[in-house]
Amino acid sequence: MFATSIIELSQSALQKNIRFLKKQIPKSTRFSSVIKGNAYGHGISFFVPLAEKCGIRHFSVFSANEARMAMKHRTAHSDITIMGAIDNDHIPWAVENGIAFYVFDSGRLKRALSAAEKIGRKAKIHLELETGLNRTGLSGRELDQAVDLLMVKHNALQLEGICTHFAGAESLSNYLRIQNQITCYHNLCQKVASNGVKLGPDHTLRHTACSAAALIYPETVMDMVRFGIAQYGFWPSQETEINFFTRKLKQGKKTGWKDPLVRVIKWKSKIMSTKTVQPGDYIGYGSSSLVTRKSRIAAVPVGYFHGFSRDLSNRGYVLVRGQRAPVMGMVNMNMIMIDITHIPYAQKGNEVVLIGKQGDASISVGSFGELTRFINYELLVSLPSEIPRIIVD
Ligand SMILES: *Cc1c(COP(=O)(O)O)cnc(C)c1O
């Protein structure tokens, strides 16, 4: 291969995750697959058709650009919704292509109306409500005006969804804030419904839950759920995982503690060269890594340029021949050095696993993530799109 590392995406892993997540929500609830951040680093162009093969028919993206990518690579004409950025200039493009988008200001709604009337096709709108995240979202008079316009112009504007986003459902320290948001959401929904908007699975979809909310606050699961991190096989946080199992145990479910989520991603490279160094020598730049015994070390052509965090300097592990090999010295731009003294037959060309399984050993991004101060999200999305992706099994 030309590239120095490669990412494998496992279809069976994704299938398992989706099956598990679907079991956590009612049958009538739609599953939206969140694919912002280049599908959390997995690669949007690979992930979209893969997810469609696993039965996904709805994608949530952040930007118009991601919507365009998803559109280009979908094979089953799945629905696409933009949760964040789209310039008013591109609203006609979205309307023309049947791409839905969140509305959180009156300017965007007016632009949607004029585009829909001009093109002769309904604009698909998701009203985003302000419930306490204080990022984007409508409330007060602005919300009333938006609902009025939607009712009057229902021939041009289709209110497909009414939604909000929680302020950190993956951390229990936000419990009260989330509860307040849920109450606020219901109150606003009631107000909207009293204006004649029909809410429900066959009408305007109510959706609030991300992965963490869906897994630990079942009351947030409504007509649609927006699953991001969990579908890729990662818990939003350790707290979410513990909370989920504790709740299941309390309900008397014999789930055990076996992780039902399987990582979709495997990231691997190869040993580029090996050498022997003597006690008293230092490895690589600077003097952070003093060798205290005669050692065999290997160079692996992956560095922070490729998304291997500098925080893993002298701390991270990779896998060679099914064994852990520690990172020696600083993570360089394009390379790391690893200690293979204890792996006798390790040699140039051997597979090096940076994330994923090898034999019985595995490096989860979870443990990778805890070593660095990164959380899963940040680590995954820092995998550059240039690394080739292949789909396996
Ligand atoms: C990212 C995002 C999600 C998905 O969050 P996960 O924690 O990855 O499940 C859902 N909704 C919105 C609005 C988002 O931005």
Side-chain angles (χ1 to χ4, degrees):
M1 63 181 176
F2 275 102
T4 66
S5 70
I6 192 162
I7 288 172
E8 286 179 359
L9 304 178
S10 161
Q11 179 168 343
S12 58
L14 181 60
Q15 186 82 63
K16 274 187 199 142
N17 297 337
I18 291 173
R19 216 173 279 149
F20 164 74
L21 294 171
K22 278 190 172 167
K23 261 201 246 157
Q24 311 307 314
I25 59 176
K27 259 216 159 72
S28 59
T29 299
R30 284 199 86 177
F31 187 121
S32 179
S33 163
V34 180
I35 52 167
K36 65 192 184 196
N38 199 26
Y40 291 51
H42 290 63
I44 223 172
S45 58
F46 297 87
F47 189 81
V48 164
L50 189 64
E52 285 183 321
K53 272 194 196 147
C54 298
I56 297 297
R57 291 294 179 271
H58 192 287
F59 294 100
S60 292
V61 298
F62 173 72
S63 66
N65 197 38
E66 290 170 347
R68 205 167 49 156
M69 286 278 281
M71 219 170 94
K72 188 169 157 203
H73 294 283
R74 69 182 169 186
T75 55
H77 214 82
S78 296
D79 294 332
I80 299 166
T81 299
I82 299 170
M83 303 185 291
I86 175 168
D87 280 353
N88 273 0
D89 290 349
H90 295 134
I91 296 278
W93 167 82
V95 173
E96 205 157 341
N97 288 288
I99 308 284
F101 46 88
Y102 286 17
V103 161
F104 38 74
D105 63 50
S106 53
R108 188 180 278 189
L109 187 59
K110 283 178 187 141
R111 192 74 186 88
L113 176 60
S114 65
E117 285 178 335
K118 188 156 169 224
I119 293 164
R121 194 170 169 178
K122 280 190 179 186
K124 297 179 179 174
I125 307 291
H126 289 242
L127 265 193
E128 190 185 4
L129 305 180
E130 177 55 70
T131 60
L133 177 61
N134 289 319
R135 198 167 66 177
T136 49
L138 287 164
S139 61
R141 248 184 56 149
E142 235 192 335
L143 174 61
D144 295 339
Q145 284 167 353
V147 174
D148 284 348
L149 192 64
L150 282 158
M151 293 311 288
V152 174
K153 298 290 185 183
H154 62 92
N155 287 329
L157 299 172
Q158 181 185 343
L159 183 55
E160 201 175 73
I162 181 160
C163 57
T164 197
H165 190 46
F166 296 117
E170 70 284 344
S171 173
L172 284 177
S173 60
N174 300 323
Y175 179 83
L176 261 182
R177 196 165 164 203
I178 306 291
Q179 293 305 315
N180 288 336
Q181 282 192 273
I182 296 172
T183 308
C184 179
Y185 178 79
H186 285 306
N187 290 340
L188 288 176
C189 273
Q190 235 167 27
K191 214 171 129 194
V192 171
S194 71
N195 281 297
V197 176
K198 281 199 186 119
L199 307 176
D202 300 320
H203 303 281
T204 296
L205 302 174
R206 289 161 300 181
H207 56 104
T208 65
C210 56
S211 303
L215 292 168
I216 61 179
Y217 301 103
E219 69 273 29
T220 65
V221 174
M222 300 170 194
D223 308 317
M224 186 165 85
V225 171
R226 307 182 303 261
F227 279 117
I229 195 92
Q231 67 179 326
Y232 304 100
F234 300 93
W235 289 90
S237 65
Q238 220 174 27
E239 266 177 81
T240 312
E241 180 176 5
I242 293 168
N243 208 277
F244 175 81
F245 280 110
T246 312
R247 207 164 47 79
K248 290 283 169 196
L249 285 174
K250 271 195 195 141
Q251 290 169 357
K253 299 241 165 71
K254 291 199 188 84
T255 49
W257 286 76
K258 191 178 174 305
D259 192 347
L261 296 175
V262 194
R263 316 288 185 264
V264 171
I265 205 165
K266 175 177 180 176
W267 182 26
K268 62 184 192 179
S269 181
K270 284 179 186 167
I271 290 181
M272 182 167 73
S273 81
T274 61
K275 67 167 67 224
T276 302
V277 292
Q278 302 300 327
D281 284 352
Y282 294 95
I283 309 287
Y285 294 126
S287 52
S288 68
S289 179
L290 173 66
V291 177
T292 53
R293 53 166 190 183
K294 190 177 170 191
S295 301
R296 271 188 87 221
I297 57 166
V300 182
V302 167
Y304 56 82
F305 171 59
H306 309 97
F308 198 90
S309 170
R310 271 167 56 92
D311 284 353
L312 294 165
S313 299
N314 284 313
R315 296 164 75 190
Y317 288 90
V318 298
L319 300 174
V320 176
R321 292 183 167 264
Q323 293 195 57
R324 283 179 158 218
V327 174
M328 302 279 282
M330 303 303 288
V331 172
N332 297 175
M333 184 190 288
N334 295 294
M335 244 192 280
I336 51 172
M337 304 303 292
I338 57 172
D339 187 354
I340 52 167
T341 312
H342 58 297
I343 313 172
Y345 300 107
Q347 55 177 313
K348 177 173 173 154
N350 281 173
E351 180 189 85
V352 176
V353 170
L354 308 153
I355 299 172
K357 274 181 89 150
Q358 191 186 53
D360 293 332
S362 81
I363 306 273
S364 70
V365 187
S367 57
F368 195 80
E370 277 145 33
L371 272 175
T372 71
R373 290 178 310 276
F374 281 81
I375 51 174
N376 288 332
Y377 297 84
E378 197 172 341
L379 214 135
L380 286 168
V381 300
S382 57
L383 292 171
S385 57
E386 286 79 15
I387 300 176
R389 269 78 169 165
I390 55 165
I391 311 280
V392 297
D393 122 55

